[in-house]
Amino acid sequence: MSRGSNPGTTPIRTVTTVVIGAGHAGLAMSRCLADRAIDHVVLERGEVAHTWRTERWDSLRLLTPNWQSRLPGFRYNGGDPDGYRTMPEVIAFIEDYAKAISAPVQTHTTVTSVCSTEAGYLVRTDRGDWQCRAVVLASGACNIARVPAFANLLPPSIATLTAQQYRNPGQLADGGVLVVGASASGTQIAYEIHRSGRPVTLSVGEHIRAPRVYRGRDLEWWMDAAGVLDERYDQVDDIARARRVPSLQLAGTPDRSTLDLNALSKIGVKLAGRLAAIAGDGKAQFAGSLRNMCALSDLKMGRLLDLIDAWARTSGLDDTAEPPHRLPPTRVEDAPPLGMDLATGEIKTIVWAAGYRPDYSWLELPVLDRKGMVRHDGGVVASPGLYLMGTQFLRRRKSALIDGAGDDARELSAHLASYLDSRAARIVA
Ligand SMILES: Cc1cc2nc3c(=O)[nH]c(=O)nc-3n(C[C@H](O)[C@H](O)[C@H](O)COP(=O)(O)OP(=O)(O)OC[C@H]3O[C@@H](n4cnc5c(N)ncnc54)[C@H](O)[C@@H]3O)c2cc1C
């Protein structure tokens, strides 16, 4: 890194590559850049692992087992490989990684814009600017919780919070709660709130049901071993669709239980269809597709388990693993609610758990699609020297998982290195 001059203002520092974000993805890239002796800095608006510190609820545990957080040059070596990390453990794990690889992280530095220059890119921050030849966007895939536009029609008596703002049931008023979204976040939050004594209705959109343990092993073990998580972005028929698939309905509980809609209905959580609209009079309208959504989810789970069974047969594991089994179909009541009067005072709180999206509002480059997502080919962005990390199915099905960052960082750092070499060759010629 060196300091250049920018007359009249703070000096602009120069570095070959700026990595934006010190989550596990940015750190994995940092390690791979260091392996290639590529000079870089990692800019982080908070502390290392900032989002795990500030945007997760208290009781959350990873849904991936401890062994499944392999990062370049780093892995779990404790005594509970099949356990699921608590949030303090995730933070410690990522912090330890940053220390182990001596990542050049500059904390409390928010990137406010990235634009192109003749020399490459100018990265502006609230603590000075950086000139560089390459930029890696590792600022996270879950910066903003998805909240439907009609949320502003809610009666003012209803408190709302997103899964990022939710910490524990003690935050909520007594009374009914509507949780919107039934993937990993929504089901776990609905379970916890219901157990606190508040009646919960869960609005169910597209989701993917999954048993925690299958044939005696963690489902993630099967998906890893069978290569499901390694499926590449250029091997799937519809990558745009694959990138929108919600997270598996899994929870990392110490008793390794399956937290699906049947488990929630059994304890008294009421299921409704996808929240389709809120009318001006405060009436919530649920789609009539709950039964179809659940049938589709059961079907997808069945396909995944069929694939695992087929792999177990060809891999000689059929005899040693427990026999194949299937969960009973998701139970849906005969006439699930199609509406709910939110003005009666019965529902006191709504928790939005309908997914997340990244925030690239600071990216001043013509690389965003109309939904604000970066257009890229396996993490290689159309603007030369610009790379993306950590988003859903970036290069592989596992790309957004901690375990997925390693392979992506290795391949993208190789691409970045050859880009720098070809650029240097052009300048010399
Ligand atoms: C509720 C939840 C549960 C999850 N559970 C699991 C799980 O069990 N297992 C698993 O493997 N994965 C899990 N994930 C997915 C994934 O690991 C996380 O999304 C992870 O945080 C993504 O890592 P990342 O490094 O790409 O992004 P992040 O961890 O979000 O890191 C991005 C970093 O960039 C920083 N940043 C953002 N904007 C700027 C800016 N303008 N300037 C400077 N810095 C900036 C942020 O502060 C942050 O530290 C979960 C995600 C969520 C939301």
Side-chain angles (χ1 to χ4, degrees), residues 21 24-25 44-45 50-51 56 62-64 111 138-140 400-402:
H24 73 267
E44 167 56 54
R45 64 182 166 179
H50 179 71
T51 52
R56 308 283 188 260
L62 287 193
L63 55 81
T64 44
V111 172
S139 48
L401 295 179
I402 295 174

Side-chain angles (χ1 to χ4, degrees), residues 61-374:
R61 285 172 179 261
L62 287 193
L63 55 81
T64 44
N66 289 332
W67 59 262
Q68 199 189 12
S69 289
R70 296 161 291 200
L71 287 163
F74 203 68
R75 59 173 57 222
Y76 179 76
N77 57 13
D80 184 20
D82 295 323
Y84 309 97
R85 286 186 181 82
T86 61
M87 286 307 98
E89 289 166 346
V90 177
I91 295 163
F93 178 74
I94 298 176
E95 266 181 342
D96 289 349
Y97 184 48
K99 281 187 205 129
I101 64 171
S102 304
V105 182
Q106 185 172 306
T107 54
H108 301 288
T109 304
T110 301
V111 172
T112 52
S113 78
V114 177
C115 58
S116 59
T117 64
E118 252 178 42
Y121 295 96
L122 178 67
V123 179
R124 289 193 181 281
T125 85
D126 58 352
R127 295 180 62 197
D129 302 340
W130 293 81
Q131 177 68 54
C132 57
R133 279 180 275 158
V135 172
V136 180
L137 308 171
S139 48
C142 304
N143 307 119
I144 300 175
R146 289 184 191 276
V147 177
F150 54 71
N152 60 13
L153 295 173
L154 283 171
S157 57
I158 296 197
T160 62
L161 69 173
T162 66
Q164 283 173 329
Q165 295 162 329
Y166 173 75
R167 291 293 169 271
N168 56 59
Q171 255 177 312
L172 314 181
D174 287 340
V177 179
L178 172 64
V179 177
V180 180
S183 287
S185 297
T187 47
Q188 291 177 45
I189 290 172
Y191 177 76
E192 175 169 271
I193 296 176
H194 185 83
R195 281 173 48 105
S196 76
R198 293 166 178 82
V200 172
T201 301
L202 179 63
S203 161
V204 178
E206 188 185 354
H207 62 280
I208 305 179
R209 188 182 181 200
R212 178 73 270 182
V213 177
Y214 183 62
R215 301 183 67 178
R217 288 186 184 265
D218 197 293
L219 186 75
E220 292 286 343
W221 182 88
W222 285 109
M223 289 179 36
D224 181 61
V228 176
L229 295 171
D230 285 319
E231 195 178 2
R232 287 178 59 92
Y233 76 106
D234 43 10
Q235 288 172 338
V236 292
D237 292 339
D238 183 351
I239 185 61
R241 164 90 191 112
R243 286 180 174 145
R244 289 196 304 270
V245 168
S247 60
L248 290 185
Q249 219 178 40
L250 283 176
T253 52
D255 66 356
R256 292 153 71 84
S257 54
T258 294
L259 182 61
D260 59 9
L261 298 182
N262 282 356
L264 289 171
S265 313
K266 199 170 163 196
I267 61 166
V269 171
K270 196 166 179 56
L271 305 182
R274 186 176 56 81
L275 181 61
I278 293 171
D281 56 0
K283 292 219 171 56
Q285 294 165 7
F286 299 111
S289 56
L290 178 61
R291 193 175 297 279
N292 284 349
M293 286 283 176
C294 293
L296 199 62
S297 174
D298 286 350
L299 191 79
K300 285 180 186 160
M301 174 176 67
R303 271 194 218 134
L304 173 63
L305 301 183
D306 288 348
L307 193 150
I308 287 173
D309 290 339
W311 178 80
R313 271 195 302 280
T314 54
S315 313
L317 285 172
D318 224 13
D319 297 334
T320 49
E322 288 176 13
H325 56 91
R326 296 290 179 267
L327 299 176
T330 304
R331 284 185 305 276
V332 178
E333 64 176 290
D334 286 343
L338 292 176
M340 180 186 252
D341 189 349
L342 297 172
T344 62
E346 222 170 289
I347 294 288
K348 298 283 188 219
T349 311
I350 294 184
V351 182
W352 302 109
Y356 309 87
R357 64 184 173 83
D359 174 19
Y360 300 115
S361 53
W362 37 268
L363 201 52
E364 294 177 13
L365 296 164
V367 296
L368 301 181
D369 66 18
R370 62 193 167 80
K371 289 188 173 159
M373 308 293 270
V374 172

